[in-house]
């Protein structure tokens, strides 16, 4: 079993920054690929960023590339998302996800067995 808990969400003006954190607990040894997804009001859950077990295989959605940075600290079982130059379209609930070695498509939410409860990010203009 793996538990994921996100934190760091909040309200910010357009152009501002936030840093999201995800704390993993339980059987963290089985975690390989991790990712951030988000779901805005009236929208489907969408891929934001992913990172491999040792910090390799980093990818971002085109909509956040150059503005967001994903990182992980395995010694502390933590995942991070640094979000800069935030836009109103970034407003969403952000979810941390974790998958095992069997993950084939890290961009598909169906690839991840473990999810956090979400943390709300609201960007105003």
């Amino acid at each position: 079993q793996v538990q994921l808990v996100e934190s760091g969400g909040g309200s910010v003006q357009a152009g501002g920054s936030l840093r999201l954190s995800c704390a993993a607990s339980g059987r963290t040894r089985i975690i390989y690929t991790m990712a951030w997804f988000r779901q805005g009001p009236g929208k489907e859950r969408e891929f934001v960023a992913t990172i491999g077990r040792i910090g390799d295989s980093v990818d971002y959605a085109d909509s956040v590339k150059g503005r967001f940075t994903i990182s992980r600290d395995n010694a502390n079982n933590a995942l991070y998302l640094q979000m800069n130059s935030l836009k109103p379209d970034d407003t969403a609930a952000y979810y941390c996800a974790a998958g095992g070695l069997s993950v084939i498509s890290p961009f598909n939410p169906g690839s991840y067995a473990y999810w956090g409860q979400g943390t709300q990010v609201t960007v105003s203009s």
Side-chain angles (χ1 to χ4, degrees), residues 24-112:
S25 61
R27 296 182 61 198
T28 57
R29 288 163 60 111
I30 71 173
I31 296 174
Y32 281 81
T33 304
M34 299 191 77
W36 290 96
F37 289 80
R38 67 186 183 186
Q39 188 165 14
K43 298 181 179 180
E44 297 181 331
R45 186 167 298 189
E46 66 174 350
F47 168 77
V48 175
T50 187
I51 187 168
R53 180 70 175 87
I54 59 172
D56 60 346
S57 303
V58 174
D59 271 300
Y60 300 92
D62 288 342
S63 59
V64 307
K65 196 171 299 181
R67 300 187 297 120
F68 291 10
T69 302
I70 188 171
S71 61
R72 65 192 294 172
D73 179 359
N74 293 336
N76 292 296
N77 298 314
L79 178 73
Y80 304 99
L81 185 69
Q82 178 66 47
M83 305 186 295
N84 299 324
S85 302
L86 284 162
K87 306 174 181 179
D89 283 349
D90 295 319
T91 295
Y94 283 71
Y95 297 89
C96 173
L101 192 59
S102 63
V103 170
I104 297 175
S105 176
F107 318 108
N108 189 330
S111 297
Y112 298 89

Side-chain angles (χ1 to χ4, degrees), residues 11-17 84-91 122-125:
S11 297
V12 65
Q13 295 282 352
S17 298
N84 299 324
S85 302
L86 284 162
K87 306 174 181 179
D89 283 349
D90 295 319
T91 295
T122 301
V123 184
S124 61
S125 59

